Amino acid sequence: MNKLLIAFVFSLFALISGESAYAQAASDAASGAAAASAPMAAAAPMAAGSAASGTDASASAASAPVPNKGDVAWMIVATALVIMMSVPALALFYGGLVRSKNMLSVLMQVFVTFSMIVVLWCLYGYSLAFTEGNMFIGGFDRLFMKGLFDPATQNLTNTGTFSKGVALPELIYLAFQATFAAITCCLIVGAFAERMKFSAVLVFMALWFTFSYCPIAHMVWFFPGPDAFTSKAVVDATTAKGGMIWQWGALDFAGGTVVHINSAVAGLVGAFMVGKRIGYGRESFTPHSVTLTMVGAALLWVGWFGFNAGSALEANGTAVLAFINTFSATAAAVLAWCLGEVLFKGGKASMVGAASGAVAGLVAITPACGNVGLLGALVVGFVAGFACLWGVSGLKKMLGADDSLDVFGVHGVGGIVGALLTGVFNTQLLGGPGQVTDWVTMTVGSMPILDQVWIQFKAICVTIVWSGVVALIAYKLVDMTIGLRVSEEDEREGLDITSHGETAYHN
């Protein structure tokens, strides 16, 4: 264990380089070209203004934008909604799908993973993801939340949004993004549920979060913000400060690559590395409480409005577009999944299927919600419902892995479908909002569809390879030190008792 920790620390310092001011990521950036412009695509954070000194500092402070109370209130609510997505929503959704003897183990893995990642995010994750470093990883400017709050003056540092001259307290942005990082790691739990050591889960999550989530978030979402693009002369230098995938022009409004594909690949690798559950393929692994799964799915749907609409970072038209697209696409995916079950799975639509369809729609619309038009969102949801039904049945059989709760079938397939269709339906020719083509003037336009789809495909491939390699190494390190899997005896008895000394239900 000591060797693992030492290797972890050295690897962390080797991975990171660079320094500088804070910023965010916005691949699918499209913020209003002017106050009168239509809602446009965004992504997720921005850049803090650089500090000045002397009289320049006074002038800068006098002209600095003041956060809008409505925007701040909305972001606080959105952050709380995303917290609800993990605890209790995701925990209940997953918990209902496992056998009763493992219910508490799943709740614990989600609850404690979420808590641990929030702490790591505050200590160093936010800095690695959302400060200037290089095209792969950020720097240490916000290590231990440095510079975000001045206790002497009671002042909070501000950061930008997707509009020029609009600010948010950077601490609420840190909190909002912390929920994204935490739920991404929690999603992975479903792939190896019912058989992995609790300690192994936590060590793996810390490693994967550091070396996969933070770099991918930086590559996809970090850029200096619209206020940094002051003239044509600085465009190239300013663009070069962004993450690699953002520089390509990939669109990911709220986490199709960063959250869903990233976690799904890590989960699939885990399913292979940990191995199949005892009795898999011979015994029935039916959900012990479809009721709890339905409750969890419903809470996820509600919480997802904070996830997607909150990624606009303002209470504006882009947030409204993301909200309605999240609403309609999810409903379309539920109908598609149920229809698919009737046509291809024995003629009966199931509650588990409807709940899974809702999650599939939510996953697929995540990268697209602020980047596609109204009819495009319905298409994304409908296609995702059918695609993810195949993902948890046909594709799962082809892969041969015991992905316990179908993390890859839903989040991997749904994330890929959503990312690709974002490239199709972003264009204004198909009713999409388009994207910012000139950050100096905030001009909005559309990329040729095939060109944008190709950029989306490259972003997907980078995410799959990066996450897969990091996950493989992290699982191997954990296996060589503390071991990945519980004993056969403990697995048969159930992880609630053997890992936590409790039971979810008492007769």
Side-chain angles (χ1 to χ4, degrees), residues 153-172:
T153 63
Q154 302 295 300
N155 289 332
L156 298 176
T157 301
N158 290 333
T159 187
T161 68
F162 295 106
S163 302
K164 286 182 180 287
V166 179
L168 274 178
E170 192 171 346
L171 277 176
I172 191 57

mmCIF file with all atom_site columns, all heavy atoms in Angstrom, residues 153-172:
data_model
loop_
_atom_site.group_PDB
_atom_site.id
_atom_site.type_symbol
_atom_site.label_atom_id
_atom_site.label_alt_id
_atom_site.label_comp_id
_atom_site.label_asym_id
_atom_site.label_entity_id
_atom_site.label_seq_id
_atom_site.pdbx_PDB_ins_code
_atom_site.Cartn_x
_atom_site.Cartn_y
_atom_site.Cartn_z
_atom_site.occupancy
_atom_site.B_iso_or_equiv
_atom_site.pdbx_formal_charge
_atom_site.auth_seq_id
_atom_site.auth_comp_id
_atom_site.auth_asym_id
_atom_site.auth_atom_id
_atom_site.pdbx_PDB_model_num
ATOM 1   N N   . THR A 1 153 ? -10.978 40.518 3.593   1.00 0.00 ? 153 THR A N   1
ATOM 2   C CA  . THR A 1 153 ? -11.924 41.447 2.958   1.00 0.00 ? 153 THR A CA  1
ATOM 3   C C   . THR A 1 153 ? -13.298 40.830 2.726   1.00 0.00 ? 153 THR A C   1
ATOM 4   O O   . THR A 1 153 ? -14.226 41.537 2.331   1.00 0.00 ? 153 THR A O   1
ATOM 5   C CB  . THR A 1 153 ? -11.362 41.901 1.599   1.00 0.00 ? 153 THR A CB  1
ATOM 6   O OG1 . THR A 1 153 ? -11.239 40.758 0.733   1.00 0.00 ? 153 THR A OG1 1
ATOM 7   C CG2 . THR A 1 153 ? -10.004 42.556 1.768   1.00 0.00 ? 153 THR A CG2 1
ATOM 8   N N   . GLN A 1 154 ? -13.404 39.530 2.942   1.00 0.00 ? 154 GLN A N   1
ATOM 9   C CA  . GLN A 1 154 ? -14.655 38.788 2.702   1.00 0.00 ? 154 GLN A CA  1
ATOM 10  C C   . GLN A 1 154 ? -15.023 38.762 1.215   1.00 0.00 ? 154 GLN A C   1
ATOM 11  O O   . GLN A 1 154 ? -16.185 38.544 0.864   1.00 0.00 ? 154 GLN A O   1
ATOM 12  C CB  . GLN A 1 154 ? -15.810 39.393 3.503   1.00 0.00 ? 154 GLN A CB  1
ATOM 13  C CG  . GLN A 1 154 ? -15.580 39.436 5.015   1.00 0.00 ? 154 GLN A CG  1
ATOM 14  C CD  . GLN A 1 154 ? -15.491 38.048 5.619   1.00 0.00 ? 154 GLN A CD  1
ATOM 15  O OE1 . GLN A 1 154 ? -16.426 37.260 5.543   1.00 0.00 ? 154 GLN A OE1 1
ATOM 16  N NE2 . GLN A 1 154 ? -14.331 37.733 6.202   1.00 0.00 ? 154 GLN A NE2 1
ATOM 17  N N   . ASN A 1 155 ? -14.042 38.970 0.354   1.00 0.00 ? 155 ASN A N   1
ATOM 18  C CA  . ASN A 1 155 ? -14.311 38.992 -1.077  1.00 0.00 ? 155 ASN A CA  1
ATOM 19  C C   . ASN A 1 155 ? -14.170 37.603 -1.690  1.00 0.00 ? 155 ASN A C   1
ATOM 20  O O   . ASN A 1 155 ? -13.275 36.834 -1.322  1.00 0.00 ? 155 ASN A O   1
ATOM 21  C CB  . ASN A 1 155 ? -13.340 39.952 -1.785  1.00 0.00 ? 155 ASN A CB  1
ATOM 22  C CG  . ASN A 1 155 ? -13.648 41.400 -1.476  1.00 0.00 ? 155 ASN A CG  1
ATOM 23  O OD1 . ASN A 1 155 ? -14.787 41.753 -1.201  1.00 0.00 ? 155 ASN A OD1 1
ATOM 24  N ND2 . ASN A 1 155 ? -12.622 42.250 -1.529  1.00 0.00 ? 155 ASN A ND2 1
ATOM 25  N N   . LEU A 1 156 ? -15.046 37.306 -2.630  1.00 0.00 ? 156 LEU A N   1
ATOM 26  C CA  . LEU A 1 156 ? -14.972 36.067 -3.401  1.00 0.00 ? 156 LEU A CA  1
ATOM 27  C C   . LEU A 1 156 ? -14.416 36.374 -4.784  1.00 0.00 ? 156 LEU A C   1
ATOM 28  O O   . LEU A 1 156 ? -14.784 37.375 -5.403  1.00 0.00 ? 156 LEU A O   1
ATOM 29  C CB  . LEU A 1 156 ? -16.360 35.435 -3.546  1.00 0.00 ? 156 LEU A CB  1
ATOM 30  C CG  . LEU A 1 156 ? -17.079 35.003 -2.267  1.00 0.00 ? 156 LEU A CG  1
ATOM 31  C CD1 . LEU A 1 156 ? -18.480 34.491 -2.603  1.00 0.00 ? 156 LEU A CD1 1
ATOM 32  C CD2 . LEU A 1 156 ? -16.298 33.908 -1.553  1.00 0.00 ? 156 LEU A CD2 1
ATOM 33  N N   . THR A 1 157 ? -13.561 35.496 -5.287  1.00 0.00 ? 157 THR A N   1
ATOM 34  C CA  . THR A 1 157 ? -13.061 35.631 -6.656  1.00 0.00 ? 157 THR A CA  1
ATOM 35  C C   . THR A 1 157 ? -14.172 35.277 -7.633  1.00 0.00 ? 157 THR A C   1
ATOM 36  O O   . THR A 1 157 ? -14.934 34.345 -7.409  1.00 0.00 ? 157 THR A O   1
ATOM 37  C CB  . THR A 1 157 ? -11.861 34.702 -6.876  1.00 0.00 ? 157 THR A CB  1
ATOM 38  O OG1 . THR A 1 157 ? -10.844 35.028 -5.942  1.00 0.00 ? 157 THR A OG1 1
ATOM 39  C CG2 . THR A 1 157 ? -11.313 34.840 -8.290  1.00 0.00 ? 157 THR A CG2 1
ATOM 40  N N   . ASN A 1 158 ? -14.266 36.021 -8.720  1.00 0.00 ? 158 ASN A N   1
ATOM 41  C CA  . ASN A 1 158 ? -15.262 35.749 -9.752  1.00 0.00 ? 158 ASN A CA  1
ATOM 42  C C   . ASN A 1 158 ? -14.637 35.024 -10.929 1.00 0.00 ? 158 ASN A C   1
ATOM 43  O O   . ASN A 1 158 ? -13.429 35.111 -11.170 1.00 0.00 ? 158 ASN A O   1
ATOM 44  C CB  . ASN A 1 158 ? -15.901 37.050 -10.247 1.00 0.00 ? 158 ASN A CB  1
ATOM 45  C CG  . ASN A 1 158 ? -16.805 37.680 -9.205  1.00 0.00 ? 158 ASN A CG  1
ATOM 46  O OD1 . ASN A 1 158 ? -17.364 36.982 -8.353  1.00 0.00 ? 158 ASN A OD1 1
ATOM 47  N ND2 . ASN A 1 158 ? -16.951 38.993 -9.261  1.00 0.00 ? 158 ASN A ND2 1
ATOM 48  N N   . THR A 1 159 ? -15.472 34.330 -11.663 1.00 0.00 ? 159 THR A N   1
ATOM 49  C CA  . THR A 1 159 ? -15.056 33.688 -12.905 1.00 0.00 ? 159 THR A CA  1
ATOM 50  C C   . THR A 1 159 ? -16.069 34.034 -13.977 1.00 0.00 ? 159 THR A C   1
ATOM 51  O O   . THR A 1 159 ? -17.134 34.593 -13.686 1.00 0.00 ? 159 THR A O   1
ATOM 52  C CB  . THR A 1 159 ? -14.947 32.171 -12.742 1.00 0.00 ? 159 THR A CB  1
ATOM 53  O OG1 . THR A 1 159 ? -14.379 31.602 -13.934 1.00 0.00 ? 159 THR A OG1 1
ATOM 54  C CG2 . THR A 1 159 ? -16.310 31.526 -12.524 1.00 0.00 ? 159 THR A CG2 1
ATOM 55  N N   . GLY A 1 160 ? -15.772 33.716 -15.218 1.00 0.00 ? 160 GLY A N   1
ATOM 56  C CA  . GLY A 1 160 ? -16.649 34.087 -16.316 1.00 0.00 ? 160 GLY A CA  1
ATOM 57  C C   . GLY A 1 160 ? -17.706 33.051 -16.613 1.00 0.00 ? 160 GLY A C   1
ATOM 58  O O   . GLY A 1 160 ? -17.761 31.983 -16.013 1.00 0.00 ? 160 GLY A O   1
ATOM 59  N N   . THR A 1 161 ? -18.577 33.385 -17.553 1.00 0.00 ? 161 THR A N   1
ATOM 60  C CA  . THR A 1 161 ? -19.580 32.448 -18.062 1.00 0.00 ? 161 THR A CA  1
ATOM 61  C C   . THR A 1 161 ? -19.349 32.322 -19.563 1.00 0.00 ? 161 THR A C   1
ATOM 62  O O   . THR A 1 161 ? -18.223 32.452 -20.024 1.00 0.00 ? 161 THR A O   1
ATOM 63  C CB  . THR A 1 161 ? -20.996 32.958 -17.755 1.00 0.00 ? 161 THR A CB  1
ATOM 64  O OG1 . THR A 1 161 ? -21.245 34.139 -18.523 1.00 0.00 ? 161 THR A OG1 1
ATOM 65  C CG2 . THR A 1 161 ? -21.165 33.261 -16.272 1.00 0.00 ? 161 THR A CG2 1
ATOM 66  N N   . PHE A 1 162 ? -20.409 32.130 -20.318 1.00 0.00 ? 162 PHE A N   1
ATOM 67  C CA  . PHE A 1 162 ? -20.254 32.049 -21.769 1.00 0.00 ? 162 PHE A CA  1
ATOM 68  C C   . PHE A 1 162 ? -20.642 33.334 -22.478 1.00 0.00 ? 162 PHE A C   1
ATOM 69  O O   . PHE A 1 162 ? -20.740 33.371 -23.696 1.00 0.00 ? 162 PHE A O   1
ATOM 70  C CB  . PHE A 1 162 ? -21.056 30.869 -22.321 1.00 0.00 ? 162 PHE A CB  1
ATOM 71  C CG  . PHE A 1 162 ? -20.541 29.561 -21.831 1.00 0.00 ? 162 PHE A CG  1
ATOM 72  C CD1 . PHE A 1 162 ? -21.247 28.842 -20.873 1.00 0.00 ? 162 PHE A CD1 1
ATOM 73  C CD2 . PHE A 1 162 ? -19.346 29.050 -22.278 1.00 0.00 ? 162 PHE A CD2 1
ATOM 74  C CE1 . PHE A 1 162 ? -20.767 27.649 -20.398 1.00 0.00 ? 162 PHE A CE1 1
ATOM 75  C CE2 . PHE A 1 162 ? -18.852 27.858 -21.799 1.00 0.00 ? 162 PHE A CE2 1
ATOM 76  C CZ  . PHE A 1 162 ? -19.567 27.149 -20.856 1.00 0.00 ? 162 PHE A CZ  1
ATOM 77  N N   . SER A 1 163 ? -20.874 34.369 -21.715 1.00 0.00 ? 163 SER A N   1
ATOM 78  C CA  . SER A 1 163 ? -21.173 35.692 -22.273 1.00 0.00 ? 163 SER A CA  1
ATOM 79  C C   . SER A 1 163 ? -20.070 36.655 -21.851 1.00 0.00 ? 163 SER A C   1
ATOM 80  O O   . SER A 1 163 ? -19.548 36.553 -20.745 1.00 0.00 ? 163 SER A O   1
ATOM 81  C CB  . SER A 1 163 ? -22.518 36.210 -21.755 1.00 0.00 ? 163 SER A CB  1
ATOM 82  O OG  . SER A 1 163 ? -23.562 35.320 -22.060 1.00 0.00 ? 163 SER A OG  1
ATOM 83  N N   . LYS A 1 164 ? -19.746 37.578 -22.722 1.00 0.00 ? 164 LYS A N   1
ATOM 84  C CA  . LYS A 1 164 ? -18.750 38.584 -22.365 1.00 0.00 ? 164 LYS A CA  1
ATOM 85  C C   . LYS A 1 164 ? -19.304 39.507 -21.269 1.00 0.00 ? 164 LYS A C   1
ATOM 86  O O   . LYS A 1 164 ? -20.458 39.913 -21.297 1.00 0.00 ? 164 LYS A O   1
ATOM 87  C CB  . LYS A 1 164 ? -18.359 39.410 -23.590 1.00 0.00 ? 164 LYS A CB  1
ATOM 88  C CG  . LYS A 1 164 ? -17.463 38.667 -24.586 1.00 0.00 ? 164 LYS A CG  1
ATOM 89  C CD  . LYS A 1 164 ? -17.090 39.570 -25.738 1.00 0.00 ? 164 LYS A CD  1
ATOM 90  C CE  . LYS A 1 164 ? -16.189 38.872 -26.760 1.00 0.00 ? 164 LYS A CE  1
ATOM 91  N NZ  . LYS A 1 164 ? -14.812 38.660 -26.299 1.00 0.00 ? 164 LYS A NZ  1
ATOM 92  N N   . GLY A 1 165 ? -18.458 39.799 -20.301 1.00 0.00 ? 165 GLY A N   1
ATOM 93  C CA  . GLY A 1 165 ? -18.835 40.738 -19.263 1.00 0.00 ? 165 GLY A CA  1
ATOM 94  C C   . GLY A 1 165 ? -19.802 40.211 -18.227 1.00 0.00 ? 165 GLY A C   1
ATOM 95  O O   . GLY A 1 165 ? -20.427 40.988 -17.511 1.00 0.00 ? 165 GLY A O   1
ATOM 96  N N   . VAL A 1 166 ? -19.939 38.890 -18.123 1.00 0.00 ? 166 VAL A N   1
ATOM 97  C CA  . VAL A 1 166 ? -20.832 38.283 -17.126 1.00 0.00 ? 166 VAL A CA  1
ATOM 98  C C   . VAL A 1 166 ? -19.989 37.422 -16.192 1.00 0.00 ? 166 VAL A C   1
ATOM 99  O O   . VAL A 1 166 ? -19.115 36.675 -16.639 1.00 0.00 ? 166 VAL A O   1
ATOM 100 C CB  . VAL A 1 166 ? -21.927 37.423 -17.792 1.00 0.00 ? 166 VAL A CB  1
ATOM 101 C CG1 . VAL A 1 166 ? -22.822 36.783 -16.732 1.00 0.00 ? 166 VAL A CG1 1
ATOM 102 C CG2 . VAL A 1 166 ? -22.757 38.277 -18.747 1.00 0.00 ? 166 VAL A CG2 1
ATOM 103 N N   . ALA A 1 167 ? -20.252 37.534 -14.884 1.00 0.00 ? 167 ALA A N   1
ATOM 104 C CA  . ALA A 1 167 ? -19.408 36.846 -13.905 1.00 0.00 ? 167 ALA A CA  1
ATOM 105 C C   . ALA A 1 167 ? -20.245 36.010 -12.946 1.00 0.00 ? 167 ALA A C   1
ATOM 106 O O   . ALA A 1 167 ? -21.447 36.243 -12.763 1.00 0.00 ? 167 ALA A O   1
ATOM 107 C CB  . ALA A 1 167 ? -18.594 37.865 -13.107 1.00 0.00 ? 167 ALA A CB  1
ATOM 108 N N   . LEU A 1 168 ? -19.571 35.017 -12.353 1.00 0.00 ? 168 LEU A N   1
ATOM 109 C CA  . LEU A 1 168 ? -20.124 34.193 -11.277 1.00 0.00 ? 168 LEU A CA  1
ATOM 110 C C   . LEU A 1 168 ? -19.076 34.089 -10.181 1.00 0.00 ? 168 LEU A C   1
ATOM 111 O O   . LEU A 1 168 ? -17.871 34.114 -10.472 1.00 0.00 ? 168 LEU A O   1
ATOM 112 C CB  . LEU A 1 168 ? -20.415 32.771 -11.774 1.00 0.00 ? 168 LEU A CB  1
ATOM 113 C CG  . LEU A 1 168 ? -21.740 32.435 -12.439 1.00 0.00 ? 168 LEU A CG  1
ATOM 114 C CD1 . LEU A 1 168 ? -21.707 30.966 -12.873 1.00 0.00 ? 168 LEU A CD1 1
ATOM 115 C CD2 . LEU A 1 168 ? -22.920 32.691 -11.524 1.00 0.00 ? 168 LEU A CD2 1
ATOM 116 N N   . PRO A 1 169 ? -19.480 33.946 -8.921  1.00 0.00 ? 169 PRO A N   1
ATOM 117 C CA  . PRO A 1 169 ? -18.488 33.612 -7.899  1.00 0.00 ? 169 PRO A CA  1
ATOM 118 C C   . PRO A 1 169 ? -17.839 32.268 -8.245  1.00 0.00 ? 169 PRO A C   1
ATOM 119 O O   . PRO A 1 169 ? -18.542 31.289 -8.518  1.00 0.00 ? 169 PRO A O   1
ATOM 120 C CB  . PRO A 1 169 ? -19.318 33.508 -6.619  1.00 0.00 ? 169 PRO A CB  1
ATOM 121 C CG  . PRO A 1 169 ? -20.548 34.312 -6.891  1.00 0.00 ? 169 PRO A CG  1
ATOM 122 C CD  . PRO A 1 169 ? -20.825 34.129 -8.354  1.00 0.00 ? 169 PRO A CD  1
ATOM 123 N N   . GLU A 1 170 ? -16.531 32.241 -8.259  1.00 0.00 ? 170 GLU A N   1
ATOM 124 C CA  . GLU A 1 170 ? -15.845 31.025 -8.694  1.00 0.00 ? 170 GLU A CA  1
ATOM 125 C C   . GLU A 1 170 ? -16.124 29.842 -7.776  1.00 0.00 ? 170 GLU A C   1
ATOM 126 O O   . GLU A 1 170 ? -16.098 28.684 -8.210  1.00 0.00 ? 170 GLU A O   1
ATOM 127 C CB  . GLU A 1 170 ? -14.338 31.274 -8.791  1.00 0.00 ? 170 GLU A CB  1
ATOM 128 C CG  . GLU A 1 170 ? -13.593 30.166 -9.497  1.00 0.00 ? 170 GLU A CG  1
ATOM 129 C CD  . GLU A 1 170 ? -12.145 30.520 -9.789  1.00 0.00 ? 170 GLU A CD  1
ATOM 130 O OE1 . GLU A 1 170 ? -11.783 31.711 -9.686  1.00 0.00 ? 170 GLU A OE1 1
ATOM 131 O OE2 . GLU A 1 170 ? -11.376 29.597 -10.124 1.00 0.00 ? 170 GLU A OE2 1
ATOM 132 N N   . LEU A 1 171 ? -16.428 30.110 -6.513  1.00 0.00 ? 171 LEU A N   1
ATOM 133 C CA  . LEU A 1 171 ? -16.710 29.015 -5.584  1.00 0.00 ? 171 LEU A CA  1
ATOM 134 C C   . LEU A 1 171 ? -17.950 28.227 -5.979  1.00 0.00 ? 171 LEU A C   1
ATOM 135 O O   . LEU A 1 171 ? -17.992 27.001 -5.803  1.00 0.00 ? 171 LEU A O   1
ATOM 136 C CB  . LEU A 1 171 ? -16.870 29.552 -4.158  1.00 0.00 ? 171 LEU A CB  1
ATOM 137 C CG  . LEU A 1 171 ? -15.579 29.780 -3.378  1.00 0.00 ? 171 LEU A CG  1
ATOM 138 C CD1 . LEU A 1 171 ? -15.882 30.408 -2.028  1.00 0.00 ? 171 LEU A CD1 1
ATOM 139 C CD2 . LEU A 1 171 ? -14.807 28.472 -3.194  1.00 0.00 ? 171 LEU A CD2 1
ATOM 140 N N   . ILE A 1 172 ? -18.976 28.881 -6.515  1.00 0.00 ? 172 ILE A N   1
ATOM 141 C CA  . ILE A 1 172 ? -20.165 28.122 -6.914  1.00 0.00 ? 172 ILE A CA  1
ATOM 142 C C   . ILE A 1 172 ? -19.860 27.306 -8.166  1.00 0.00 ? 172 ILE A C   1
ATOM 143 O O   . ILE A 1 172 ? -20.391 26.221 -8.357  1.00 0.00 ? 172 ILE A O   1
ATOM 144 C CB  . ILE A 1 172 ? -21.395 29.035 -7.115  1.00 0.00 ? 172 ILE A CB  1
ATOM 145 C CG1 . ILE A 1 172 ? -22.667 28.181 -7.269  1.00 0.00 ? 172 ILE A CG1 1
ATOM 146 C CG2 . ILE A 1 172 ? -21.250 29.940 -8.322  1.00 0.00 ? 172 ILE A CG2 1
ATOM 147 C CD1 . ILE A 1 172 ? -22.946 27.255 -6.119  1.00 0.00 ? 172 ILE A CD1 1
#
